[in-house]
Amino acid sequence: MTSPEGPGAAVTSREPPPVERFRPTDIDGLDWRELRATCPVSRATTADGAGVWLVSRYGDIRRVLGGQEFSVSPIDPGRGSGTAEANESIFQDPPEHTRLRGLVAGPFAVGYVGRYRDAIRRKADALLEAMGAPSGQADVMADFAKPLTMNVIAEVVGVPEPDRGMFQRLSDQLLVPLSEAQGVVALEGWKQLNDYVRDLIAQRRRTGGRDGGDLLAHMIRAQEDDGAVDDVELATMVLGLPVAGYVSTANAIAVAVRYLLEFGWLGELRAEPPGDPGLRKGFVEEVLRIQSGDNGESMPRFATTDVRLGDRTIRKGDTVVAPLVAANRDDELFERPDTFDPRRPGPARHLAFGFGIHRCVGANLARLELQVALDALVECDRDFRMLEDWKAVPWKVNMLGDRFPERMTVGVATRNGRV
């Protein structure tokens, strides 16, 4: 099986999917405790006026995200239990999901991603060393979080280092809502990324690209040895994973910096005994839990059959929204759920990465990036201070539904007071 290499040859068979969805902005301000107590499975309306079921209890959310009664694709009543449309990514139902997820699971396994720890730390240290010069100010997003996370995911996928700045620029161009006027710019970015991925795959094939430990080599081997993936699927996976993964992890780093600075955790972590990672691990898990709501939500699910959920009957084909922010603030599992507390018991029970077969495939990598970024921030010779209130930080919502800070300005000084 070969890759199309002629001029204008298509890499993917689809335009970017119309994934405008029930976003965090649509559920801002809801009283989850009140909903759980009075109407845990309630009716809600999306921005386009469509009616959906809104689920607010941790257990019900796990059931929706992990249950076989719910599909990730709209149900086509004319096809019975089938879904309306297949695609080339892992975000579809079994058996195609099982096949494609199995192909990419290895490079993102916890034992595999650990090999990137030292490289992540070197990059984090270099970025922190450059922050603040010469003005004494820096943008956490542009100067640290985004270049760090893009470099990591590009390394894992197999994007050459000289191309990573361009890859980030095109990814940022793509990450805007398609409903905005910028949608035209986003579509052009998608096409340019398609062209780049096509050329990268062709180049790797010509130069023995199946040899190596990155995702692209892994996928090329799977294609050439077993025919387990076709050209369209290969390109879609190589294109989609960096775009989907890097902004959400950068967002987590921004949330971590907020709590380090605004709530004094930087000083507290620096005062911890060396070699004791307990509080840092709790800090990472609490960032992951609390950032739900400041980040993208799980995609809606669609009932494949009539389902009883709580005291309500969900009819076949109905849309169900199961917000991670609601699950991660359920006071039956998390005492004082709106309080940031790295010392809380059982923090890893959160659903920051989703649940079930569609749990984020990059969860292990994202957790490692956040851990290493935190270590670098705590151990560096820089002091930081917030230069604007968190509520004043401008936010964007991208075409994937992720919400992230447009900027996050901080003052920077070395421990001796100089940059």
Side-chain angles (χ1 to χ4, degrees), residues 23-300:
R23 293 172 170 162
T25 48
D26 299 317
I27 54 179
D28 277 350
L30 291 180
D31 187 333
W32 297 114
R33 179 176 296 181
E34 177 69 15
L35 274 175
R36 281 190 290 270
T38 61
C39 194
V41 181
S42 58
R43 293 297 287 172
T45 305
T46 62
D48 61 2
V52 299
W53 292 103
L54 178 62
V55 182
S56 55
R57 287 179 177 167
Y58 181 96
D60 290 337
I61 290 169
R62 276 175 52 117
R63 181 180 173 188
V64 170
L65 298 182
Q68 295 183 355
E69 311 105 313
F70 299 94
S71 168
V72 295
S73 299
I75 299 301
D76 182 352
R79 294 174 56 188
S81 61
T83 54
E85 183 181 10
N87 62 67
E88 297 84 31
S89 75
I90 60 174
F91 210 83
Q92 54 186 317
D93 294 321
E96 289 306 300
H97 170 271
T98 306
R99 175 177 64 87
L100 292 174
R101 176 138 183 155
L103 288 173
V104 300
F108 289 99
V110 64
Y112 196 92
V113 299
R115 67 182 60 193
Y116 297 107
R117 179 181 292 274
D118 290 345
I120 297 171
R121 181 59 187 266
R122 286 193 297 272
K123 182 66 174 179
D125 287 344
L127 290 169
L128 289 172
E129 180 68 23
M131 281 181 69
S135 66
Q137 295 185 14
D139 179 351
V140 170
M141 294 300 291
D143 298 332
F144 184 64
K146 289 173 70 174
L148 176 63
T149 56
M150 173 53 76
N151 186 76
V152 173
I153 194 66
E155 180 78 17
V156 172
V157 170
V159 176
E161 189 167 359
D163 297 346
R164 293 174 188 175
M166 176 272 297
F167 203 93
Q168 179 178 333
R169 177 179 58 80
L170 292 178
S171 296
D172 287 342
Q173 182 175 322
L174 174 62
L175 295 177
V176 297
L178 291 180
S179 58
E180 295 183 357
Q182 289 178 306
V184 175
V185 178
L187 290 172
E188 180 59 30
W190 181 271
K191 292 174 182 177
Q192 290 183 42
L193 280 172
N194 272 337
D195 290 342
Y196 171 77
V197 169
R198 175 196 64 194
D199 294 341
L200 177 61
I201 292 171
Q203 179 186 25
R204 288 289 293 269
R205 283 203 178 102
R206 290 194 300 267
T207 58
R210 59 175 285 130
D211 301 322
D214 57 50
L215 177 67
L216 186 51
H218 180 81
M219 296 285 283
I220 290 175
R221 287 194 298 270
Q223 184 185 64
E224 294 179 346
D225 295 346
D226 305 318
V229 58
D230 63 30
D231 280 353
V232 173
E233 291 168 337
L234 190 157
T236 300
M237 301 294 278
V238 173
L239 173 60
L241 286 171
V243 171
Y246 109 93
V247 168
S248 58
T249 309
N251 178 78
I253 292 173
V255 172
V257 171
R258 180 220 177 170
Y259 283 97
L260 286 172
L261 306 187
E262 187 175 335
F263 294 86
W265 283 102
L266 181 59
E268 189 152 351
L269 289 171
R270 284 177 170 173
E272 282 291 292
D276 181 4
L279 186 58
R280 292 190 194 184
K281 287 184 177 180
F283 186 95
V284 166
E285 296 305 323
E286 190 70 345
V287 166
L288 292 170
R289 183 189 72 84
I290 208 75
Q291 76 156 343
S292 299
D294 282 337
N295 199 4
E297 286 294 338
S298 57
M299 294 287 280

